[in-house]
Amino acid sequence: MSFPNVDFALLSPSLIVCITALLTMLLVPFLGEKRQVVVAHLSWIGLSIALFAVSQQIGKNATTFGGMFLGDDFSQFFSGIFIVAAMLTIFTSIDYLRRKENEHGEYYPLILFATYGMMVMASSSNLLVIFLGLEIMSVSLYVLAGFARTELKSTEAAIKYFLLGAFATGFTVFGIAFVYGVTGTFDVAGIINAAFGQSNVDTFLIIGSALLLIGFGFKVAAVPFHMWAPDAYEGAPSPITGFMSAGPKAAAFAAMLRIFSVGFGSTVPHLQTLFWIVAVATMTVGNIIALRQNNIKRMLAFSSIAHAGYILIALVVGTGEASSAAALYLLAYALTNLGAFMVIALVDSGAKHDEFTSIDTYTGLARKRPFLGLALTLFMLSLAGFPPTAGFMGKFVLFKAAVSQGFYVLIVIAVLNSLVSVFYYLRVVVKMFMTEPDGQPVEVPAVPVFLMVALAFAVAAVLLIGVYPQGWFNFAGLSILGAN
Amino acid sequence: MEISLAHYLALAAILLGIGMFGVLTRRNAVGILMSIELMFNAVNINLVAFNRYVTPADFTGQIFSIFVIVVAAAEATVGLAIVLLIYRNFRDIFVDNINLMKW
């Protein structure tokens, strides 16, 4: 028996994340209750080594494991997003868990396992590997959503996320089975080769891709499969909510771009129309329901649904330019949302339970803590899409890609939606700057060192992408070339 | 009667239908979990049948079904742990009663 020829250098980023996760998981029981924070530090050190490994693999565009694992720039770009998201989440969590008296070391390896799953998901165009990555990610996230074990809301979030997530997985695998039945392969390129150019497309292939769309629609919280998202986002611990909105969303979109954008869209009839309807429904429903939310985490959950709607535009358009615009959008959205959730987690950690998650908590915050107020304002402006922030650039390149292909109606709807969204984002800003608190304002804890570093990084990144998007866009554009 | 691919697909579709019906109508969290397992098993039948009739020369479909079994086991483990947690906190596993968060 011969050992297969494996390119370990290409695998190194995901291997480092996986090995760090396994080692830290083993370490947890040997550390006393007081020293669980060691796991956090080992985790982010491991992640920074993995990030370095990613930077070494840029431009290689090689494959290994017989083409099942793709190390193109597309996967390196997304691996970078996932690793940075995980690091920022860990920095946010260290103090949060201590204040919530929930310092259990298993938290950090679970984040690493989820990150590993996302990296696997973004690094393959084989449906089998994408499915495995999806499940490694999801199973870790179900546990993380319920990590505040004694909080009723957190356990409720976990059960709702789990039941609907597993239900959606059933659809995904059923769709994969049908696609396999028609084409005899799990590889996306092979599937397209088998199905392309045939005068009448097999009904099973249409059913299969529709089921795949349902499964991934659940994962990115597209309407009408979004019902789990508000509850899971509201109940999960605040840093995990930020992580859930940044990482898994980017991973699911990376897989969708690989599966649908590269060829399925043109192979299967009506799929583009279906995407059009889902995109419009997702952004409209998300934005309108977000208007009347009073819990900031729930509001950002609906905002996250709306953003999924904008990104779905890339799948409607289906060009390489649109795909790289979506990649840039996901990077901008991940950094902005993680930044916003750093502030939210800090405010939330001022109380033992979840008393401090309503928008009213933020009344007068900016007067007492001007820097925190300014940071949250920047993130809200970026989510709303004001220049010169990352969110504006993401929207700009995405809408431009759609307009250049003649999708005028879609973009008019998207721009109107962005206008609606400004209202609820600025509501938080108005509360922070222009409202007097009745009585004593909420006591916000001092910013700990690690959170300070993470917050500074997020602010700088959001501004940098907003002012100088060209370099990032080139990287995102390069990355998609590898995918095609 | 010769058993053909269509028979296997019909069996899988019926099993998937029962599973989906169970997920949508059952109110007991463990019942929902069992219905989801039925859906996964419907997928396994499909995969193995397609492997036998579409690509008899290789085993990709069968290997996928083994992965599906493993994933289903992992999900059941995590799911039962979450159900146990729900029972500890709410003293109840009927999903209708686990409703702190609403519109």
Side-chain angles (χ1 to χ4, degrees):
Chain A
M1 194 190 134
S2 66
F3 193 70
N5 194 11
V6 177
D7 184 353
F8 281 105
L10 204 63
L11 290 173
S12 58
S14 44
L15 274 186
I16 291 168
V17 173
C18 185
I19 290 169
T20 316
L22 290 170
L23 290 181
T24 46
M25 189 66 117
L26 285 175
L27 191 67
V28 170
F30 296 101
L31 295 167
E33 257 176 52
K34 297 277 166 234
R35 287 189 295 160
Q36 297 283 311
V37 73
V38 174
V39 180
H41 294 306
L42 289 176
S43 300
W44 72 258
I45 292 168
L47 282 170
S48 39
I49 299 171
L51 192 62
F52 175 74
V54 168
S55 72
Q56 296 302 300
Q57 301 304 316
I58 292 169
K60 269 199 178 172
N61 290 320
T63 65
T64 187
F65 281 125
M68 280 192 145
F69 188 95
L70 305 180
D72 53 14
D73 280 349
F74 182 80
S75 56
Q76 310 305 352
F77 185 83
F78 275 98
S79 296
I81 297 182
F82 305 145
I83 292 173
V84 169
M87 278 173 84
L88 295 180
T89 309
I90 289 173
F91 286 162
T92 316
S93 304
I94 294 173
D95 200 59
Y96 180 85
L97 291 187
R98 192 174 55 73
R99 286 183 167 276
K100 293 277 182 185
E101 293 168 27
N102 190 23
E103 264 191 308
H104 297 285
E106 294 87 351
Y107 180 91
Y108 302 103
L110 282 168
I111 290 181
L112 294 183
F113 280 128
T115 313
Y116 173 67
M118 294 172 209
M119 289 167 79
V120 170
M121 220 174 142
S123 313
S124 183
S125 64
N126 189 299
L127 293 177
L128 171 55
V129 182
I130 290 177
F131 167 68
L132 283 179
L134 179 75
E135 283 309 297
I136 297 170
M137 173 188 91
S138 301
V139 169
S140 319
L141 285 172
Y142 301 147
V143 183
L144 283 171
F147 202 80
R149 286 182 301 174
T150 50
E151 293 290 319
L152 296 185
K153 268 191 178 181
S154 179
T155 39
E156 183 181 335
I159 190 93
K160 285 183 170 168
Y161 191 22
F162 168 74
L163 288 177
L164 287 172
F167 190 45
T169 306
F171 283 105
T172 313
V173 273
F174 213 79
I176 294 175
F178 271 174
V179 172
Y180 168 69
V182 176
T183 59
T185 174
F186 290 117
D187 193 65
V188 172
I191 290 166
I192 292 157
N193 274 338
F196 198 72
Q198 300 206 347
S199 49
N200 52 337
V201 177
D202 204 302
T203 322
F204 278 132
L205 189 63
I206 298 175
I207 297 174
S209 34
L211 287 170
L212 266 177
L213 179 62
I214 294 175
F216 279 106
F218 262 105
K219 289 293 158 193
V220 299
V223 174
F225 316 114
H226 65 288
M227 293 83 74
W228 61 271
D231 289 345
Y233 279 37
E234 187 187 337
S238 298
I240 293 304
T241 311
F243 186 58
M244 270 163 49
S245 67
K249 183 152 285 193
F253 269 114
M256 273 178 110
L257 287 171
R258 281 226 206 254
I259 296 173
F260 291 107
S261 194
V262 177
F264 256 47
S266 52
T267 317
V268 180
H270 311 307
L271 208 55
Q272 205 182 37
T273 323
L274 207 58
F275 273 125
W276 198 97
I277 296 166
V278 173
V280 169
T282 306
M283 59 179 103
T284 314
V285 170
N287 276 324
I288 287 176
I289 303 182
L291 285 174
R292 48 168 299 223
Q293 297 305 320
N294 286 319
N295 182 307
I296 194 162
K297 283 161 84 178
R298 206 172 175 81
M299 183 197 93
L300 285 178
F302 283 105
S303 131
S304 149
I305 294 170
H307 280 277
Y310 301 140
I311 303 166
L312 280 167
I313 291 175
L315 289 156
V316 181
V317 179
T319 57
E321 191 197 358
S323 301
S324 42
L328 185 73
Y329 196 108
L330 283 163
L331 173 70
Y333 177 68
L335 288 167
T336 311
N337 232 19
L338 284 164
F341 273 98
M342 284 171 204
V343 182
I344 291 169
L346 183 72
V347 174
D348 180 18
S349 69
K352 178 82 175 60
H353 302 292
D354 62 343
E355 298 96 327
F356 285 178
T357 51
S358 88
I359 293 178
D360 293 331
T361 316
Y362 292 79
T363 311
L365 177 85
R367 299 186 175 199
K368 252 183 116 187
R369 307 288 292 274
F371 284 109
L372 275 183
L374 279 175
L376 192 55
T377 306
L378 176 75
F379 298 133
M380 288 297 150
L381 290 179
S382 176
L383 285 172
F386 277 90
T389 58
F392 169 74
M393 271 306 152
K395 279 209 176 74
F396 179 75
V397 289
L398 190 60
F399 292 177
K400 189 166 142 267
V403 165
S404 72
Q405 296 295 315
F407 290 92
Y408 298 113
V409 181
L410 186 60
I411 293 310
V412 168
I413 296 172
V415 170
L416 288 176
N417 261 296
S418 315
L419 284 178
V420 172
S421 75
V422 171
F423 177 78
Y424 62 83
Y425 291 126
L426 287 191
R427 213 176 111 208
V428 180
V429 178
V430 169
K431 278 264 187 229
M432 286 193 304
F433 280 93
M434 295 168 199
T435 323
E436 280 292 348
D438 340 318
Q440 201 60 13
V442 166
E443 206 51 55
V444 178
V447 184
V449 179
F450 278 104
L451 188 63
M452 183 91 85
V453 173
L455 202 55
F457 176 83
V459 168
V462 166
L463 283 174
L464 186 71
I465 299 174
V467 192
Y468 177 70
Q470 201 53 47
W472 294 101
F473 190 64
N474 284 346
F475 185 23
L478 248 174
S479 70
I480 298 293
L481 287 179
N484 282 332
Chain B
M1 187 180 69
E2 184 77 17
I3 292 179
S4 66
L5 177 61
H7 292 97
Y8 288 106
L9 294 188
L11 175 66
I14 292 168
L15 214 53
L16 183 86
I18 295 172
M20 273 171 64
F21 182 75
V23 172
L24 298 174
T25 55
R26 286 256 153 196
R27 298 290 62 143
N28 183 318
V30 178
I32 298 178
L33 200 59
M34 285 160 69
S35 308
I36 291 171
E37 294 295 311
L38 271 186
M39 290 173 68
F40 281 121
N41 285 326
V43 174
N44 286 338
I45 292 175
N46 253 355
L47 283 168
V48 174
F50 276 134
N51 194 164
R52 170 73 181 73
Y53 287 95
V54 179
T55 56
D58 61 21
F59 302 106
T60 42
Q62 295 185 30
I63 289 173
F64 200 123
S65 70
I66 290 175
F67 276 114
V68 172
I69 293 169
V70 172
V71 162
E75 279 203 335
T77 316
V78 168
L80 286 174
I82 294 174
V83 171
L84 203 63
L85 199 60
I86 283 284
Y87 181 72
R88 269 195 210 148
N89 284 341
F90 288 82
R91 293 278 146 197
D92 200 349
I93 53 167
F94 285 85
V95 285
D96 285 346
N97 302 338
I98 303 163
N99 228 346
L100 291 173
M101 291 177 282
K102 282 185 195 140
W103 293 95

